[in-house]
Amino acid sequence: MSAQPFADPAESATDRTVVGENLSLPLFRTLSGVLAGHPYLKVVVDRANDTWHLLDTAAHPFHVNYIATRVLGMELAELDADLDAFNASVYMDPERRFLLGVLSLHTDRDTEGRERTFLVLETTEADTMNGELLEFFYEFVTMRVDGRLPVLLKPANHRQEDELAAISELRVPRILSHELFGSRVRTPLNPGEATGRLRFFPTNEEYAAAEAGLGWADIVAMPCLPDDVPRVAGFLNTAPITPLSHTNVLASGWGIPNAIVRDLEQLVEKDGLDGAWVRYRVCEDEISLERLDHEPVLRPPAWHQQRIRLEPPLLEDAPVLALHRLRSADRDRYGTKAANLGELHHVLDSRTADLTTFYGRPRPPRDDLYGHLAARLGLDAPSPAELRAGAADFVASTVGAPEGVALPFALQQRFLASSPALQQGIGKLKMALELDATDVLDPLCLQLQHLIRHTPVPESVTRRISQAFPAPPTASRRLVVRSSSNAEDLPGFSAAGVYDSVTIVHGTSELLDAVRQVWASLVSPRSVRLRHQVGISLDDTYMGVIIQEYVPASLGGVLVTCDPTRRADFRNVYLNCSPGSPEQVVDGSVLPQQYLYNVVEGGGRTVALGSWGDGLPAATRARLADLSLTGRLLQSHFSGADLGGTRSESQADGHSPGPDVDKPLDIEWLMTERGDFRLVQIRPYAL
């Protein structure tokens, strides 16, 4: 077919889409847009007419709209009325007429340091092309591309990776996502914008020397920020971290920009940015750092006025309870973490919660996503009741909740009241907070922590703790002791990494030491400062404690029921993991493997392999897809109810906006050595 413009007369002035023309670099640049810093071009292969369409990106942002209206002559309203069926015909039908993809332009250097430009061809993550179609698609495109531009095929999901495994790389040269983007110079982590003073610290020692002087108008840049970084205007990392690192969870909760900029040191030297006032922007597809020629007039950030009001803690005598006996309402006695785990037990055991409401929300032009959920659950045209029952059964068969006991606030209160020295130390700290005497906070907090760790536990409290177990803790039995404050895991205040957990505990003596260490973390200098900044009173803050038997894990990590770098994406769940305990992911001692799973149309893809050279086996990746869907289903319950224990001013006045099932969750999980999933923490993910 001869090359000719394909444009509606009404759009001929702007639409430069062409049909059948071979692709040169100048034509590519004429038609392309930019995504994540790379020029890209949409292509449609029409197998029936043996030709392809090169779409003008500015005129045609969606493949399916173009095919329906410009090739098949449909009206947009007609397409929208049956969009899911149309998508299935172009993305999932093995006999499909159209093959849809994207060509993106990349540049790297070869082994001799010479610059190399190449194209990458890929489909969408939901595309189910088999190996035969992938090979046909690749050959069709490469035959029509300027031979001076090498083309590599990038499988868009794990299914395509498996299909390509049987095809020689000589016939279909390929590149995997983590290979393409693993060395990306600039990576967005948390979107946002900040104007402030850039403070660049090449070493931890330089940061430590200046830490005390950092303020809300500073943008802190260094290879890898410490977990106890103070609240500032923005973060910049020059070394790789993940979207679920502690510092990025903090950035998300605080609403400040965060990104990886590997060439920051060169930019700082070139433009003299250290100590300069800058405007810093992080978007999905762009990271910018603009030096200002004068000091701006800045207003204190919104968090200076932010006030989080806790529900009053209930301190009357309460028993030590097994986690499965708690519900979400018990957060005022046992802390948010313990109450959420108790609620999880209830959801799994009763199977009465409606876990489908996220899929019931309109996603225009779709009225709902119930059909997609039924497909993910393997159900054929279920009734609403059957869909709810199927979702509940799926979740209960996929994950378990941890066993353990929860210590109430009343035990901490009884311990504190047993010592006049502790009461005096608490009084001094309260006075310093009331007077805003921040210069004496740290020594007062450290002194109080030392007292808590070394004050004997009253016999009545010791007896209550030891009686919670069928048999006394022994040296051979390993326990894990975790914090469960009423000032953590809250909307607007996650406190990620702020309070202590003790993961290696043997015997009664070590157990009491661990409990006191967790209690003492409530008055660490950092936790006191962070709560004071958002108006959480020391009088209202108490620490419950979770005690669990250690469960060996073969795999563990964290998932959030969103794509942290693309907040409007309702399809994907982000998951990271590493062999062994999830603490390795949480504390940043390793770079985890990273995956994205589409829990609407299905499919998953590898984002990064982290500290490991190989990905997980296909069977394990499939299990992680089930785990990701489970997280999304639990979101319907945990985000759709008031589980946080905080009130905004509008809620306090009786004007609650109601549940929002689109609010994502942050879930810590592990896979036992038997292959079972356990969820060990569930909380809101701050956006």
Side-chain angles (χ1 to χ4, degrees):
M1 183 174 181
S2 60
Q4 52 185 296
F6 190 91
D8 187 285
E11 298 179 351
S12 58
T14 57
D15 188 353
R16 296 160 294 186
T17 294
V18 297
V19 179
E21 184 171 327
N22 286 347
L23 181 63
S24 63
L25 188 56
L27 178 59
F28 179 94
R29 296 193 183 280
T30 298
L31 301 175
S32 66
V34 177
L35 183 64
H38 297 283
Y40 77 102
L41 169 67
K42 290 182 171 66
V43 300
V44 174
V45 170
D46 186 343
R47 299 170 71 198
N49 291 328
D50 192 34
T51 192
W52 71 338
H53 303 245
L54 306 177
L55 276 57
D56 181 351
T57 304
H60 301 290
F62 302 107
H63 287 93
V64 292
N65 287 16
Y66 174 84
I67 295 171
T69 61
R70 307 298 298 281
V71 181
L72 301 179
M74 298 169 60
E75 297 291 334
L76 273 179
E78 182 184 357
L79 170 65
D80 288 347
D82 204 15
L83 180 60
D84 289 330
F86 190 89
N87 280 340
S89 73
V90 295
Y91 290 121
M92 300 172 188
D93 186 348
E95 304 299 326
R96 69 191 78 172
R97 171 182 171 181
F98 300 104
L99 304 179
L100 285 56
V102 170
L103 279 167
S104 54
L105 187 66
H106 299 261
T107 301
D108 65 7
R109 295 189 179 277
D110 61 21
T111 55
E112 298 180 1
R114 293 172 298 196
E115 190 173 89
R116 177 181 72 133
T117 300
F118 60 98
L119 292 171
V120 171
L121 174 66
E122 63 181 305
T123 68
T124 182
E125 63 198 16
D127 199 301
T128 62
M129 280 193 204
N130 58 26
E132 182 180 351
L133 274 181
L134 287 167
E135 185 173 3
F136 173 86
F137 190 34
Y138 174 79
E139 291 179 348
F140 190 100
V141 170
T142 53
M143 288 175 59
R144 291 159 176 81
V145 171
D146 186 328
R148 291 170 294 183
L149 284 174
V151 180
L152 301 177
L153 181 67
K154 180 165 82 68
N157 52 52
H158 292 144
R159 174 183 173 139
Q160 290 186 4
E161 289 180 21
D162 296 339
E163 289 284 335
L164 284 172
I167 300 174
S168 168
E169 291 197 38
L170 295 177
R171 283 162 46 199
V172 182
R174 69 206 64 165
I175 188 167
L176 301 181
S177 179
H178 65 271
E179 296 171 332
L180 184 63
F181 298 117
S183 59
R184 181 185 290 177
V185 174
R186 299 177 186 178
T187 304
L189 293 171
N190 196 64
E193 180 176 336
T195 298
R197 183 179 53 175
L198 185 70
R199 305 291 303 277
F200 178 55
F201 304 108
T203 66
N204 291 338
E205 291 74 20
E206 290 173 271
Y207 167 82
E211 179 183 7
L214 295 176
W216 59 263
D218 290 321
I219 297 170
V220 179
M222 58 189 298
C224 189
L225 283 86
D227 288 346
D228 61 354
V229 62
R231 199 162 187 173
V232 291
F235 296 157
L236 274 161
N237 303 265
T238 62
I241 65 168
T242 78
L244 296 189
S245 65
H246 269 318
T247 50
N248 199 54
V249 171
L250 290 174
S252 178
W254 294 343
I256 63 175
N258 188 23
I260 301 169
V261 180
R262 295 192 180 188
D263 61 344
L264 180 65
E265 188 164 1
Q266 295 94 303
L267 295 177
V268 167
E269 292 180 0
K270 174 177 174 289
D271 299 326
L273 295 180
D274 187 22
W277 292 95
V278 299
R279 183 172 292 111
Y280 172 38
R281 293 188 182 95
V282 177
C283 306
E284 291 179 9
D285 56 0
E286 183 182 9
I287 300 167
S288 64
L289 200 59
E290 174 192 357
R291 177 169 181 161
L292 304 178
D293 56 10
H294 61 279
E295 180 177 341
V297 177
L298 298 177
R299 295 181 178 178
W303 58 263
H304 260 247
Q305 287 76 43
Q306 181 187 17
R307 289 297 177 263
I308 293 177
R309 296 169 57 186
L310 300 180
E311 296 289 349
L314 301 178
L315 302 176
E316 69 269 17
D317 194 29
V320 177
L321 284 183
L323 288 174
H324 69 263
R325 296 181 60 187
L326 300 181
R327 293 292 303 275
S328 62
D330 291 313
R331 59 180 177 256
D332 300 329
R333 291 181 176 86
Y334 296 87
T336 313
K337 190 179 299 181
N340 284 354
L341 289 177
E343 187 72 19
L344 176 62
H345 271 282
H346 171 74
V347 169
L348 299 180
D349 294 340
S350 71
R351 306 193 187 187
T352 57
D354 183 0
L355 305 181
T356 69
T357 52
F358 176 89
Y359 288 85
R361 289 286 301 273
R363 312 287 172 180
R366 305 166 181 84
D367 292 334
D368 58 63
L369 299 174
Y370 286 141
H372 288 287
L373 176 57
R376 301 283 72 75
L377 297 175
L379 302 175
D380 184 16
S383 68
E386 290 171 335
L387 186 63
R388 289 194 295 271
D393 290 344
F394 177 85
V395 168
S397 65
T398 303
V399 302
E403 300 297 334
V405 300
L407 309 187
F409 298 158
L411 290 189
Q412 183 206 18
Q413 171 69 0
R414 187 180 300 180
F415 166 74
L416 295 175
S418 71
S419 167
L422 286 175
Q423 291 298 303
Q424 185 180 32
I426 293 170
K428 289 180 179 179
L429 181 56
K430 288 180 180 178
M431 181 64 71
L433 290 170
E434 290 174 6
L435 298 175
D436 204 24
T438 56
D439 56 326
V440 299
L441 275 183
D442 285 13
L444 287 175
C445 288
L446 294 172
Q447 182 182 20
L448 184 54
Q449 282 191 288
H450 179 81
L451 279 172
I452 292 173
R453 291 192 185 104
H454 293 88
T455 297
V457 180
E459 177 59 31
S460 61
V461 175
T462 301
R463 185 168 58 252
R464 292 278 296 278
I465 295 173
S466 58
Q467 287 176 348
F469 299 92
T474 64
S476 61
R477 183 184 181 193
R478 178 175 170 182
L479 300 176
V480 176
V481 178
R482 299 164 66 87
S483 67
S484 183
S485 169
N486 61 339
E488 64 178 317
D489 296 354
L490 305 175
F493 192 77
S494 73
V498 171
Y499 304 121
D500 286 354
S501 292
V502 186
T503 59
I504 302 178
V505 178
H506 298 92
T508 302
S509 176
E510 287 188 12
L511 175 59
L512 293 177
D513 288 344
V515 169
R516 283 181 295 192
Q517 179 175 334
V518 172
W519 282 339
S521 67
L522 192 68
V523 291
S524 70
R526 183 168 181 245
S527 69
V528 169
R529 287 179 183 276
L530 289 176
R531 291 195 305 268
H532 185 60
Q533 287 171 351
V534 297
I536 297 177
S537 169
L538 187 63
D539 284 328
D540 292 335
T541 310
Y542 280 84
M543 178 65 77
V545 178
I546 298 171
I547 304 172
Q548 300 165 279
E549 189 157 357
Y550 172 74
V551 177
S554 61
L555 193 68
V558 182
L559 70 84
V560 291
T561 56
C562 67
D563 180 346
T565 62
R566 300 182 64 190
R567 301 301 172 81
D569 177 10
F570 61 85
R571 289 177 163 83
N572 284 296
V573 165
Y574 173 92
L575 179 148
N576 65 19
C577 60
S578 68
S581 168
E583 277 80 10
Q584 294 183 93
V585 174
V586 175
D587 66 20
S589 60
V590 298
L591 282 176
Q593 297 187 12
Q594 303 174 54
Y595 299 91
L596 275 173
Y597 286 97
N598 183 326
V599 293
V600 177
E601 291 89 359
R605 54 194 171 99
T606 303
V607 177
L609 292 182
S611 301
W612 287 267
D614 297 320
L616 296 170
T620 304
R621 296 199 308 260
R623 296 286 314 284
L624 294 181
D626 290 345
L627 178 64
S628 299
L629 178 57
T630 293
R632 174 69 85 213
L633 292 171
L634 289 173
Q635 180 178 330
S636 293
H637 179 72
F638 281 88
S639 295
D642 176 23
L643 303 179
T646 62
R647 293 185 300 164
S648 66
E649 296 301 329
S650 62
Q651 289 173 315
D653 294 336
H655 301 290
S656 172
D660 182 359
V661 296
D662 278 352
K663 290 182 177 178
L665 298 179
D666 175 338
I667 298 174
E668 188 176 324
W669 59 273
L670 58 84
M671 178 188 283
T672 70
E673 293 178 338
R674 296 189 306 175
D676 303 323
F677 285 122
R678 301 278 182 89
L679 306 188
V680 296
Q681 183 169 332
I682 186 166
R683 61 186 176 186
Y685 179 69
L687 287 178

